[in-house]
Amino acid sequence: MRQTLSDRFSELAMRIFVADDSAMLRRQIIGQLCGLSGVEVVGQAQDVSEALRAIRELKPDVVTLDVQMIGGSGIELLKIIRRDGQRPVVLMLTNHAHPRYREKCLELGADYFLDKARDFGKLTEILRRLAERFGPSVAEAT
């Protein structure tokens, strides 16, 4: 079977899953990601159970998690992901940037902890750097 360029791109792209209870913020994050080379958004969810089911099925390379979500906490979801043995890069995003949340998330294995109000602009740059480290660019693959 012959592979198309889009098939090859999907194999090379860093696969990202976005979990946030705000539809507006999910759209904003996904909109930023669409402009990045080597990035594919594989799914999104607004609640913990939907996110867990999709993350287990899709096995993304990177997950963005809101600390406060419908049906639970992104912190609990982070615990489950790590307990399952999955090792995606995890970026925690929150409006509740209290130091205790930061410490707990990092202790549980989050790779980044971003305050939505202060650090949101850093998200695109972090993901751009991760995509560069993830694998060869599309241009190199063709």
Side-chain angles (χ1 to χ4, degrees), residues 86-106:
Q86 292 194 44
R87 295 303 314 163
V89 174
V90 175
L91 295 95
M92 300 298 295
L93 302 171
T94 186
N95 285 321
H96 309 284
H98 192 280
R100 280 195 312 246
Y101 283 131
R102 175 183 298 276
E103 290 166 14
K104 187 67 173 174
C105 290
L106 296 175

Side-chain angles (χ1 to χ4, degrees), residues 65 74-82 90 92 105 108-110:
L65 291 178
I75 295 172
E76 289 301 315
L77 185 52
L78 172 62
K79 278 186 203 177
I80 294 167
I81 291 168
R82 294 306 192 218
V90 175
M92 300 298 295
C105 290
L108 291 171

